[in-house]
Amino acid sequence: MWFSSLGAIAPSDFKGMNMKKKNSKKFIYRVLFVIFLSMFLIASGLMAYDWYKEYKAQKQFEDLSNLTQDDTNKENDESGESESVEDEKTDFEALGIEIPEKYLDWEAIQGENPHIYAWLCIPGTDIDYPIIQHPDDARYYLRRDIYGQDSTAGCIFTEFYNEKDFTDLNTVIYGHNMRNGTMFASLHNYENLGFFEEYPYVYIYLPTGVLVYEVFAAYEGGDQHLLFSYDSTTPATFQSYLDAVFSIRDMGAHFRDGLEVTGEDHIISLSTCVRGEATSRYLVQAVLINEESLSEEVMSD
């Protein structure tokens, strides 16, 4: 027997107390298991839903890219107004630059969404998307698809601070760094120097022709708004910005040797997020090399 100030405790009573403790522990373990299982299922469901939305968004862009002209329209476009485009392609081929063929049906594409005004293609990446701009809400397409529905993938877009004819000295184009590799995720390919050197050209298709850009810089920068933080309204102030870019000494930054970019040029700045770094952006910048393709009428204005 065991004795205490409270009296004797029989061995059978002690055994019963141990059983109660074990049952209590089992109950707690079961409750915790149910809680953790529920959390896992909820997290898995949310992740699956996000992946589905990303897939749905990508499918929309793929369907949109299929809005190409039939052979008859291609033949019509290869005469008349498209003759200068074909001549330009021939000029680039002589320089070893091959413009990817795209016969975009702009009437059909803009019938899906009139805010679409250009198409962006970067060889060596998965970037082959329309460029879109809302006339009144600068960030409208940050979290919306081409039909204005909520979407984590958003769209490739510019803000209305930029003109849609690419005559601004710096046109900033935004896109998300999606986990499934879509949108602007493959801009990060330019972190590899070999890729940077092998794929130097970016193509923007307009209803009036093709703009060809050469990538001159790829680097990680801050999250400041490029158009508000740096004055790109005059060649002189824009030159100051370019000087700051070329002064970057980050080991991960890449610059194209022998390619001169001045305040008189027109560039695009492709901007996307850096995973795990909320205040950083990865920038790929390219300079227009067929300046003559910009509308002379617009430039004169």
Side-chain angles (χ1 to χ4, degrees), residues 36-286:
F36 288 131
L37 179 62
S38 300
M39 292 173 62
F40 172 77
L41 292 175
I42 292 172
S44 297
L46 291 173
M47 186 177 295
Y49 182 59
D50 283 342
W51 278 104
Y52 168 73
K53 289 194 294 184
E54 291 174 11
Y55 165 79
K56 183 180 177 182
Q58 184 63 17
K59 185 67 167 58
Q60 288 178 344
F61 290 118
E62 290 174 358
D63 292 342
L64 192 65
S65 68
N66 289 331
L67 294 178
T68 55
Q69 299 170 342
D70 59 28
D71 292 338
T72 302
N73 286 333
K74 289 177 186 178
E75 291 174 2
N76 291 337
D77 278 352
E78 286 171 359
S79 61
E81 293 183 356
S82 294
E83 192 172 310
S84 60
V85 175
E86 292 302 316
D87 290 342
E88 186 175 38
K89 288 182 179 180
T90 302
D91 292 339
F92 276 115
E93 287 172 359
L95 298 174
I97 302 173
E98 185 176 351
I99 298 177
E101 293 286 350
K102 277 191 177 297
Y103 295 98
L104 300 168
D105 187 340
W106 286 104
E107 183 176 354
I109 290 171
Q110 292 176 334
E112 295 293 315
N113 187 330
H115 296 160
I116 297 172
Y117 69 96
W119 198 283
L120 173 67
C121 177
I122 306 180
T125 74
D126 295 321
I127 298 171
D128 191 9
Y129 294 106
I131 304 176
I132 194 165
Q133 183 184 115
H134 194 281
D136 304 312
D137 186 342
R139 311 293 279 179
Y140 183 85
Y141 287 105
L142 179 67
R143 294 290 180 186
R144 289 185 177 88
D145 63 20
I146 57 174
Y147 300 111
Q149 302 300 312
D150 289 342
S151 170
T152 55
C155 291
I156 304 302
F157 70 97
T158 59
E159 298 172 318
F160 58 66
Y161 312 116
N162 274 131
E163 298 293 337
K164 294 189 290 185
D165 54 18
F166 295 90
T167 55
D168 289 321
L169 294 176
N170 189 7
T171 298
V172 185
I173 306 174
Y174 302 94
H176 285 301
N177 177 18
M178 299 303 292
R179 290 171 300 181
N180 63 358
T182 58
M183 308 310 290
F184 267 3
S186 50
L187 276 186
H188 286 276
N189 291 358
Y190 283 97
E191 292 177 8
N192 181 287
L193 180 58
F195 184 91
F196 179 88
E197 293 176 343
E198 184 177 357
Y199 295 99
Y201 300 112
V202 174
Y203 304 93
I204 291 181
Y205 300 79
L206 300 170
T208 55
V210 185
L211 301 179
V212 181
Y213 293 82
E214 186 169 0
V215 175
F216 66 87
Y219 57 93
E220 185 176 321
D223 63 348
Q224 64 268 33
H225 196 288
L226 293 182
L227 299 179
F228 293 164
S229 301
Y230 305 99
D231 187 354
S232 300
T233 57
T234 69
T237 56
F238 185 46
Q239 183 65 60
S240 296
Y241 167 68
L242 291 173
D243 291 342
V245 170
F246 285 112
S247 68
I248 294 173
R249 292 296 178 264
D250 190 316
M251 291 294 292
H254 302 310
F255 298 95
R256 194 161 309 283
D257 293 335
L259 179 59
E260 184 182 7
V261 185
T262 73
E264 301 285 344
D265 289 315
H266 297 82
I267 75 168
I268 53 174
S269 296
L270 311 177
S271 175
T272 194
C273 294
V274 177
R275 192 157 294 130
E277 299 181 27
T279 59
S280 296
R281 298 292 181 269
Y282 192 70
L283 296 172
V284 175
Q285 296 180 305

